Amino acid sequence: MSSRSRTSLRLTAIATVAAAMAFPLLNAPTAHAASTAGGPITRGEVLARAQSWVDEKVPYNQSGYKTDANGTYREDCSGYVSMAWHLTDSLTTWTLPNVSTKIGFSQLQGGDILDYTDAHTFIFNKWTNKANGDFTYYAESNPNNPTHGPTAANINNASIEGWPTSYYGAYRYNHIVNDTTAGIGMWNPSDHYFHLRNSLSAGPNDKDFVFGATGMTPVTGDWDGIGSDGVGMYDSANHTFYLRNSPSAGGNDYTVSFGSAGDIPVVGDWDGNGTDTIGVWRPSNHTFYLRNSNTAGPADKTFVYGADGMQPLAGDWDGVGADGVGMYDDSTHTVYLRNGTSAGGNDYTISYGTPGDIAVAGDFNGDGKDTVSVWNPTTHYFDINNSNTNNDPSTRFVYGATGMIPVAGDWDGQ
């Protein structure tokens, strides 16, 4: 597993018999602590700042400036983006690319922008149906259409905001970070129930429902890129993924044959476009096979990583918006992580947990980076670690029961 934004969370959970695991991604806007001008800012804060000008009914005025709790910024389209990004000054449509990186339309996440450098820019809010191209946005357009949003549009339309869609480029602020947090949950192989919590604590479940079947492995991820995670199952016997866009019982939104019998599922946002897609790790040859879409077909990435007896992981360890891979060696309770999806040396080597633990990865504190935590099947302790270091757990609580398989995900999009 994002980031992100889409972020971005990923999880792995391997049961003793089923060798089960899951890796979700998180990517939804929630305002966090206020940023400083020109510094890192969460996607949630960008969108909260954008909404504040809608609430204040700020007019459009290319020569006027608005002063409020957000600072002082010009009352036009690029001044609006500058305010939302909390820049040190009001930039223009042709200078906003100086503080951002161009991305593909499919990679857009909340707080990114579409910018026609000669004339207009607006703020991407979220996908409402990514497969169809539907999304919402915020904009300062003209004196007759001042600050507004969230406004519906479609990325496939010939024009948006009065200009040809082909004139726009998608850009991501260089200091933006994902800001969603993972909840935890369990899947019970004996009765096929998911038990999900929106927070990191013991207590009543927020969702309980049946999904999957005996012998399957639970997975979670943001399959449709809208900012909250759905659930899924992987049947290793027939190497098929069954995925639901929501955390609920019901029919499958995607049924995808991928991999080979005996493979272990991994899911993540491999190309940084805000949508989680399928993959497998093959224990027999230590090879990852990853797909950039939730469809059958050849792997988009294939590489060797890991060793016998290890558990594969996926997560946005460095907060860049795309997932890397990792391995958990239960016998030595050591975590090995790579920032990319390739073979090579480890970017992080961490001692964490105790023998017998199941590794679980996710963005548990909303800082835009996935970290590796563990669940103990005997004591039922979740030990949540919010940094990829040898730190003691930041949070410990009892959750689940013997025989269950831990999962993590952003079930409520917050």
Side-chain angles (χ1 to χ4, degrees):
M1 323 211 167
S2 54
S3 148
R4 3 110 82 201
S5 80
R6 277 215 129 90
T7 55
S8 248
L9 147 91
R10 314 290 177 260
L11 161 143
T12 183
I14 296 189
T16 304
V17 177
M21 65 200 58
F23 315 90
L25 160 142
L26 306 173
N27 175 26
T30 303
H32 283 243
S35 59
T36 58
I41 185 169
T42 64
R43 295 184 183 279
E45 187 181 345
V46 170
L47 297 177
R49 290 169 70 90
Q51 181 64 47
S52 72
W53 270 27
V54 174
D55 296 340
E56 295 178 52
K57 298 180 173 57
V58 177
Y60 182 93
N61 184 351
Q62 284 188 313
S63 60
Y65 283 78
K66 169 70 174 178
T67 299
D68 60 11
N70 297 312
T72 300
Y73 295 92
R74 195 175 56 249
E75 298 174 345
D76 62 6
C77 63
S78 52
Y80 184 40
V81 169
S82 300
M83 179 280 297
W85 281 358
H86 203 174
L87 302 183
T88 56
D89 197 9
S90 295
L91 299 187
T92 63
T93 53
W94 57 90
T95 57
L96 283 169
N98 295 342
V99 297
S100 57
T101 300
K102 194 169 187 179
I103 59 175
F105 282 176
S106 67
Q107 295 176 280
L108 283 163
Q109 299 179 47
D112 297 334
I113 64 169
L114 282 89
D115 187 33
Y116 169 30
T117 55
D118 285 348
H120 190 49
T121 187
F122 59 91
I123 302 164
F124 184 88
N125 179 41
K126 68 177 182 179
W127 295 104
T128 53
N129 187 325
K130 191 172 184 179
N132 292 340
D134 298 323
F135 69 96
T136 56
Y137 68 91
Y138 290 95
E140 268 268 33
S141 302
N142 57 62
N144 296 321
N145 194 11
T147 315
H148 56 94
T151 301
N154 188 289
I155 202 68
N156 301 311
N157 286 348
S159 65
I160 304 174
E161 285 279 298
W163 296 98
T165 304
S166 60
Y167 287 11
Y168 291 102
Y171 292 86
R172 177 166 296 159
Y173 180 42
N174 291 335
H175 295 303
I176 201 166
V177 295
N178 293 337
D179 60 345
T180 55
T181 57
I184 48 90
M186 291 284 169
W187 184 69
N188 192 334
S190 64
D191 61 10
H192 313 147
Y193 260 96
F194 274 96
H195 307 280
L196 306 180
R197 291 276 295 148
N198 290 329
S199 60
L200 299 176
S201 63
N205 301 309
D206 294 295
K207 296 190 177 185
D208 296 276
F209 57 91
V210 173
F211 189 73
T214 301
M216 292 186 178
T217 301
V219 294
T220 64
D222 185 4
W223 319 120
D224 53 2
I226 65 170
S228 60
D229 288 328
V231 295
M233 304 301 299
Y234 182 70
D235 188 337
S236 178
N238 66 6
H239 45 91
T240 300
F241 284 89
Y242 304 93
L243 308 178
R244 286 277 294 154
N245 283 332
S246 62
S248 64
N252 306 306
D253 292 296
Y254 313 87
T255 301
V256 189
S257 178
F258 188 73
S260 299
D263 287 348
I264 297 171
V266 292
V267 300
D269 184 4
W270 314 122
D271 55 3
N273 73 351
T275 302
D276 287 331
T277 53
I278 57 176
V280 296
W281 184 71
R282 190 160 297 161
S284 62
N285 61 7
H286 311 148
T287 300
F288 278 93
Y289 301 88
L290 308 179
R291 280 283 289 162
N292 286 330
S293 64
N294 289 314
T295 59
D300 293 294
K301 294 186 177 183
T302 303
F303 56 93
V304 174
Y305 187 70
D308 287 344
M310 292 187 177
Q311 305 174 12
L313 295 158
D316 185 5
W317 319 122
D318 53 0
V320 300
D323 287 332
V325 295
M327 304 300 299
Y328 180 65
D329 188 338
D330 174 56
S331 64
T332 62
H333 45 94
T334 303
V335 181
Y336 304 94
L337 304 178
R338 288 275 297 150
N339 285 330
T341 46
S342 63
N346 305 304
D347 293 297
Y348 313 86
T349 301
I350 309 149
S351 178
Y352 194 69
T354 59
D357 286 347
I358 296 173
V360 183
D363 182 5
F364 297 111
N365 66 348
D367 68 353
K369 297 179 181 180
D370 290 328
T371 55
V372 178
S373 298
V374 294
W375 181 72
N376 189 289
T378 301
T379 65
H380 310 149
Y381 271 119
F382 258 109
D383 285 328
I384 304 296
N385 191 354
N386 286 326
S387 64
N388 287 316
T389 65
N390 298 329
N391 292 341
D392 291 333
S394 303
T395 303
R396 167 176 277 194
F397 55 92
V398 173
Y399 190 73
T402 300
M404 291 187 176
I405 299 170
V407 294
D410 182 12
W411 319 121
D412 56 0
Q414 298 182 9

